[in-house]
Amino acid sequence: MRPEVKVKAVSYGQVKLLPGLFKSRALLNRNYVMSLNSVDLLQNFYTEANLYEPRNHAHDHWEPGHLGWESPACPLRGHFLGHWLSAAAKLYAATNDGEAKGKADWIVDELSRCQIQNGGEWVGSIPEKYLHWIAEGKSVWAPHYTLHKTLMGLYDMYAYAGSHKALEIIENWSNWFYRWTENMTEEKLADILDVETGAMMEVWADVYAATGKQQHLELMNRYTRHRLFEPLLRGEDVLTNMHANTTIPEIHGAARAYEVTGEQKWREIVEAYWCSAVTDRGSYCTGSQTSGEIWSPPGELSARLGERNQEHCVVYNMIRLADFLFRWSGNAEYLDYIERNLYNGILAQQNPKTGMITYFLPLHAGAKKKWGLPTKHFWCCHGSLVQAHTIHANLAFYEDAEGVIAAQYIPSEFLWKRGEDTIKIKQMMDRQTNWGIRDPAADQTRRPNSIAVDISIECELDVEFTVKLRLPDWLSGHPAITVNGQETVNEINQSGFIHIHRVWQNGDRLRIVLPKTLTAFPLPDQPNMVAFLDGPVLLAGLCDEERTLIGDINNPGSILTPDNEREWNNWLSGYRTVNQDRGFRFVPLHEIEDQVYTVYFPVR
C-alpha cells in the first residue's frame, strides 16, 4: 500500500538560507559542530573496542576530552556522536559543506574499525551486557536510547551524505539485534520497551526502506510500542505524567512505519498521539508543553510553571512530528505549531552569542536560562541542538502537485525543478524601512504592525503553477497581496493558505503583508494569568518577580507600548509597560541571554 501524502518535503540542498536570524543561528551551530575534536567524539567507542590511546603519554593514562553525559562513567556515554553525525550529514547535504563531510566520513571509518575489533557486529559505545541486563529486569539508564543515536547518525550519513559504509555498519549490527530479540515473547519485548527505547522502531523502518530486507521489517515490528499505541487508539489519556521524550520518538517510529508500509493503523496512532499531546492538552505561550520532562494534565498548566519547563528535545521532536502530519494532511495548523516552537523553543533555547543550549526553558517568575558548556555537559539536548539548526532551510518551502508552498517566512532561496523547468524562488523579509532620503511609502513613521515578505521568481521560460502562502494563526487582519505591484484577489483555502495561480514570468515579484498585533496568551486554567506575543514571538518581561499588571487583556496596548523601536534603518522589537506602578521592559524571549525574566503576569 502507498501512504497518502499530500505534500512533499524538498530535498536538502534545494533550499539555502539567506542572511537573517535563522542563518546566523545556523552558522553559530555549525561553528560548534566543527569545533569538537573527532577523537574525543569517538572516545567511548574506542574504549569499548579497546582501541583508545593514552592522551597524556608522560603519565601513561587516558584523560577523556568530553565529560558530563559523555564521561566514561556515564551509562549514556556515546549518545552524542549519533546526533553529531546526523548534523554533519545534513550540513553537507544542505550546504555542500565538504569539511563537515570529510570529518564525518573519517568518523564512520573509525566506527567500522571499532566494529571489526568488536567481532564484526557490535559497534556500540556501551557494552552488550547493558541490553542483557534490562532483559533480566535490571536497571540500566536507557541503553536503547544511547544505541539508537548511533544507528540514527549512521543512517543519516547514508541518506544525506551517501556513505554506503555507514549503511554496511548498520546491516552488520542489525544481525546482533535480530538474534537478541528473536526468541523473546511479545510480553518480554514489551517489558524491555518500557525502558526508554528512543526511536529504535523509526531507524529500523528507515533501514528497511533503504534495503528492502525482511529482517529489517521484522525488527521494526518487534520494536513496536504496543503498550503506548493501543490505549492511544482507544482514546485513553496515557500521556499525563508520562516522560514526554520517551514517547515522541516511539511515535516517530509509527510515522515512518506508515510511510514505508502504507498501513493505515500507523497513521491513526500518530494522529491519536497528536490529539492527546497537543489538541486536547493545551500548551504554554511558547507553543510547547512539559514540566520536569513529563506531560502535564490536559488544560492544567499553572501549577507546573518552574525551572524545568520545555525540554529542548521535546520541542525538536514535536517539530519533526508536526512535519510528518503536515506532509500527510497539507493542513497549515501544523506549520503554525512549528513556527511558534521555532521562535520560542529552538531559537529561545540557543544562546544568541555562544550557540550553546539550555536544557530546559524555565517559565516561572524570575526565571534564568542555564547554559550548557561545549564539552563539559553533553546533555541529551546538546544532541537535539546540533540537529535542530540544520533543518531551518527545509522548513521554509514544500511542494505539492499544484506548485510551491511558502511554509515558514524565513529568508531563503529555493531552486525548484518542475518537469524540465528550473525555477529559482527567493523569499526575503522587507524591513519596511529605507535609508537616505525618506520615502514615506517604504518607511513608516512608527514600527509597522505587520510582517512583509517579498517573493521573487526567476525562470528561463514562462511556467504555470500555484504559490501557496501560509496565513498564520496570529494574523490580525486581511493580508495585502500584490503581484508586480498590482493588488490581487485569490482563493483562501480552508487548510490555511491563500493560493496565487498564474503563468509566472522571469522577474515576477509577489508581495504579502501580514498584519499582526500584540496578543495576550492566557494559561488554560488561569485566564487572567497571561503572556504577551508579538505575532508568533513571545515577549519576556525583564523583571525578577511576579507583578500584577493593570489593563485590558483584550487590548494589550493598554499595558505595553513600543520601546526603543528604531536603530538606523532597523525596526527593533522591544516594548515597555505603561500605566503601571513600576515600569519595566519586554524583549523577545529568543534574545534573552543571562537576564532574569518573567513571561506570565496576572492582569486586573
Side-chain angles (χ1 to χ4, degrees):
M1 292 182 291
R2 288 183 176 274
E4 181 185 0
V5 178
K6 293 186 176 180
V7 173
K8 181 183 176 183
V10 302
S11 299
Y12 277 79
Q14 283 186 274
V15 183
K16 69 176 184 180
L17 294 174
L18 298 175
L21 174 61
F22 285 90
K23 183 172 183 177
S24 68
R25 295 300 190 91
L27 289 174
L28 270 180
N29 186 63
R30 193 265 179 194
N31 291 341
Y32 174 55
V33 167
M34 297 306 295
S35 74
L36 295 170
N37 180 278
S38 299
V39 171
D40 291 337
L41 287 166
L42 284 158
Q43 66 184 26
N44 295 299
F45 298 86
Y46 285 154
T47 302
E48 189 60 27
N50 197 30
L51 289 173
Y52 71 84
E53 295 181 3
R55 176 183 293 270
N56 188 331
H57 292 279
H59 298 90
D60 198 33
H61 70 275
W62 181 49
E63 297 174 359
H66 289 172
L67 298 174
W69 290 14
E70 285 295 298
S71 167
C74 178
L76 295 186
R77 61 189 179 274
H79 75 102
F80 179 77
L81 179 65
H83 291 285
W84 187 95
L85 284 172
S86 294
K90 291 182 179 179
L91 279 173
Y92 169 69
T95 65
N96 199 30
D97 191 327
E99 185 182 4
K101 185 179 189 300
K103 188 179 177 82
D105 281 340
W106 183 84
I107 287 174
V108 170
D109 286 342
E110 290 298 283
L111 289 174
S112 178
R113 191 161 72 98
C114 290
Q115 187 174 53
I116 293 168
Q117 179 74 2
N118 287 330
E121 290 183 346
W122 189 262
V123 71
S125 54
I126 55 176
E128 295 106 311
K129 65 184 177 183
Y130 280 16
L131 291 188
H132 295 312
W133 284 352
I134 61 170
E136 295 168 7
K138 296 177 181 177
S139 178
V140 186
W141 188 11
H144 268 121
Y145 173 92
T146 303
L147 298 171
H148 160 257
K149 302 310 175 190
T150 306
L151 286 162
M152 170 193 67
L154 286 166
Y155 175 78
D156 286 345
M157 280 298 295
Y158 163 73
Y160 297 102
S163 173
H164 289 277
K165 179 171 284 189
L167 184 61
E168 179 184 329
I169 294 170
I170 296 174
E171 289 198 72
N172 291 335
W173 200 5
S174 73
N175 296 327
W176 189 97
F177 286 97
Y178 190 79
R179 283 197 315 277
W180 181 67
T181 57
E182 190 168 23
N183 296 317
M184 291 181 182
T185 66
E186 186 174 303
E187 186 71 15
K188 181 68 172 178
L189 274 168
D191 290 340
I192 290 171
L193 298 184
D194 280 342
V195 181
E196 188 174 358
T197 57
M200 291 294 287
M201 183 184 179
E202 180 187 15
V203 80
W204 296 129
D206 283 334
V207 175
Y208 170 63
T211 68
K213 292 184 177 180
Q214 188 66 27
Q215 174 171 301
H216 301 139
L217 177 63
E218 180 62 29
L219 278 169
M220 182 197 85
N221 288 322
R222 290 178 187 178
Y223 275 92
T224 298
R225 186 81 158 91
H226 295 293
R227 288 180 181 170
L228 172 65
F229 295 172
E230 289 170 9
L232 283 170
L233 288 174
R234 293 193 297 267
E236 298 174 14
D237 174 19
V238 290
L239 298 187
T240 294
N241 293 334
M242 191 172 187
H243 188 253
N245 202 47
T246 292
T247 60
I248 308 165
E250 291 167 341
I251 296 299
H252 290 164
R256 278 300 284 151
Y258 173 63
E259 293 188 341
V260 301
T261 70
E263 293 182 40
Q264 189 67 22
K265 68 176 182 179
W266 301 121
R267 177 168 178 167
E268 291 171 0
I269 289 164
V270 176
E271 291 171 340
Y273 186 89
W274 185 270
C275 184
S276 181
V278 179
T279 309
D280 294 344
R281 199 161 299 272
S283 73
Y284 293 113
C285 50
T286 55
S288 188
Q289 204 260 40
T290 56
S291 177
E293 300 196 10
I294 63 174
W295 291 113
S296 301
E300 299 180 27
L301 304 184
S302 61
R304 303 211 176 182
L305 296 177
E307 294 182 352
R308 292 181 173 84
N309 293 122
Q310 191 165 302
E311 182 188 3
H312 183 273
C313 290
V314 170
V315 177
Y316 171 66
N317 282 324
M318 288 299 288
I319 285 175
R320 286 196 62 219
L321 187 57
D323 171 74
F324 279 113
L325 288 162
F326 172 65
R327 288 188 284 106
W328 300 347
S329 69
N331 196 319
E333 69 175 274
Y334 300 112
L335 301 181
D336 292 332
Y337 180 93
I338 290 172
E339 179 182 52
R340 181 79 67 89
N341 281 273
L342 276 176
Y343 280 104
N344 308 310
I346 300 304
L347 297 185
Q349 291 179 251
Q350 182 198 37
N351 189 299
K353 287 185 178 176
T354 69
M356 279 294 93
I357 186 70
T358 178
Y359 190 143
F360 299 105
L361 187 68
L363 296 177
H364 64 93
K368 189 172 183 180
K369 299 176 185 179
K370 179 182 178 182
W371 301 111
L373 296 175
T375 61
K376 304 300 183 186
H377 288 113
F378 287 110
W379 302 316
C380 54
C381 297
H382 279 68
S384 55
L385 164 78
V386 297
Q387 287 185 263
H389 291 279
T390 65
I391 67 172
H392 298 325
N394 276 59
L395 295 173
F397 290 100
Y398 294 79
E399 59 179 306
D400 63 12
E402 298 174 69
V404 170
I405 299 167
Q408 302 296 335
Y409 296 114
I410 294 173
S412 53
E413 184 177 276
F414 179 22
L415 196 62
W416 182 42
K417 289 287 290 184
R418 183 171 175 84
E420 298 298 316
D421 299 308
T422 300
I423 306 155
K424 183 183 290 186
I425 303 173
K426 182 186 296 187
Q427 62 166 323
M428 294 293 294
M429 312 304 290
D430 181 357
R431 290 181 294 185
Q432 302 183 73
T433 65
N434 74 309
W435 193 240
I437 302 299
R438 182 170 183 269
D439 176 5
D443 192 347
Q444 299 187 31
T445 304
R446 298 295 307 276
R447 183 165 65 199
N449 291 319
S450 62
I451 292 175
V453 184
D454 289 321
I455 296 176
S456 62
I457 309 292
E458 295 180 26
C459 51
E460 291 186 5
L461 302 173
D462 296 354
V463 57
E464 183 177 3
F465 62 92
T466 301
V467 175
K468 298 180 182 178
L469 304 167
R470 178 174 61 93
L471 298 180
D473 57 359
W474 46 261
L475 199 64
S476 65
H478 293 291
I481 300 171
T482 59
V483 176
N484 298 329
Q486 300 297 312
E487 289 188 13
T488 181
V489 178
N490 287 272
E491 172 192 358
I492 296 179
N493 187 275
Q494 290 183 344
S495 293
F497 297 93
I498 194 160
H499 294 190
I500 315 292
H501 182 85
R502 61 182 275 122
V503 176
W504 298 92
Q505 298 178 324
N506 186 48
D508 279 350
R509 296 289 186 269
L510 169 62
R511 178 179 175 84
I512 181 169
V513 179
L514 301 162
K516 65 182 177 69
T517 189
L518 280 177
T519 56
F521 192 98
L523 285 167
D525 51 339
Q526 285 196 10
N528 289 322
M529 179 76 81
V530 304
F532 299 97
L533 291 108
D534 186 4
V537 176
L538 177 62
L539 300 173
L542 300 180
C543 66
D544 60 1
E545 62 183 359
E546 181 180 294
R547 295 187 190 176
T548 299
L549 301 177
I550 299 170
D552 181 359
I553 288 176
N554 296 315
N555 177 22
S558 65
I559 303 171
L560 300 183
T561 191
D563 175 68
N564 188 30
E565 67 177 9
R566 182 72 179 250
E567 183 179 77
W568 297 302
N569 67 329
N570 295 315
W571 292 112
L572 305 181
S573 48
Y575 288 83
R576 60 180 171 82
T577 58
V578 291
N579 306 319
Q580 310 300 317
D581 291 337
R582 290 183 294 164
F584 58 98
R585 298 179 60 241
F586 282 74
V587 297
L589 182 62
H590 64 73
E591 294 179 4
I592 293 282
E593 297 171 44
D594 298 318
Q595 307 96 311
V596 177
Y597 65 89
T598 299
V599 296
Y600 280 106
F601 297 88
V603 177
R604 62 177 174 85

